[in-house]
Amino acid sequence: MIYLVSGYRRSGTSMMMQALASGGMPVSRSLRQDDRMNITFGDNGYCPNDAYYELNLEDYLDRNTFAARFDGTLVKCLSGGLLRLPNWQYRIIFMRRPVEEIRKSCLAAFGERDRFAERLDFNDRMGEVIDVARDRRSVVSLDEVHYHDMLADPEG
């Protein structure tokens, strides 16, 4: 079983990863990826996270070893890669946040608009990703957590 935290960027995925890691779940992540992202996003003087909790791209793409390497751990996989994962058993927490807040957060964090979040059908697309993921036989459970619910009641 692999435990996934998913969602669109700026939806609270790193916050959820940190909360679950603090609760004792074993986490798989790449410190090298953290460094790369802080260099990339630090250009405008803003580092959105102390830790992104992401893997290296090659880790996600290695379908032959992904499941065996990360079995029993918590992995962050943003919505774009969720449906590309190899067949395995997954429990997924999918973070949701109002699209207007994601747009503002992307602009503040990266200094530019996010093309996908600007689409009028953004919420429909996120719903489709969730529906398709739930229909996969390998997905044992998929729970949606709303960003503001997490902030209001982190222990809950």
Side-chain angles (χ1 to χ4, degrees), residues 19-27:
L20 294 171
S22 295
M25 288 192 78
V27 174

Side-chain angles (χ1 to χ4, degrees), residues 39-141:
I39 289 168
T40 300
F41 301 132
D43 287 345
N44 60 1
Y46 178 77
C47 289
N49 296 324
D50 292 332
Y52 297 91
Y53 295 98
E54 294 184 16
L55 300 175
N56 299 304
L57 181 59
E58 56 268 19
D59 293 326
Y60 295 109
L61 296 176
D62 188 351
R63 296 178 62 84
N64 294 325
T65 64
F66 179 85
R69 285 179 60 203
F70 301 111
D71 189 42
T73 67
L74 180 63
V75 173
K76 179 175 167 182
C77 180
L78 294 179
S79 58
L82 189 59
L83 304 179
R84 295 185 183 113
L85 295 172
N87 283 333
W88 200 254
Q89 294 220 319
Y90 299 100
R91 287 190 183 270
I92 303 170
I93 292 176
F94 195 95
M95 296 299 296
R96 298 294 298 256
R97 186 177 186 184
V99 68
E100 190 54 41
E101 291 180 19
I102 289 174
R103 290 174 183 151
K104 287 178 184 176
S105 184
C106 284
L107 189 57
F110 311 122
E112 61 188 28
R113 295 189 178 281
D114 182 286
R115 290 180 310 154
F116 190 76
E118 293 293 326
R119 292 177 57 134
L120 294 177
D121 64 347
F122 176 84
N123 287 323
D124 294 337
R125 294 273 180 147
M126 287 297 103
E128 289 171 10
V129 168
I130 290 169
D131 290 344
V132 171
R134 271 197 180 113
D135 285 345
R136 286 183 65 174
R137 273 189 250 153
S138 58
V139 174
V140 174
S141 66

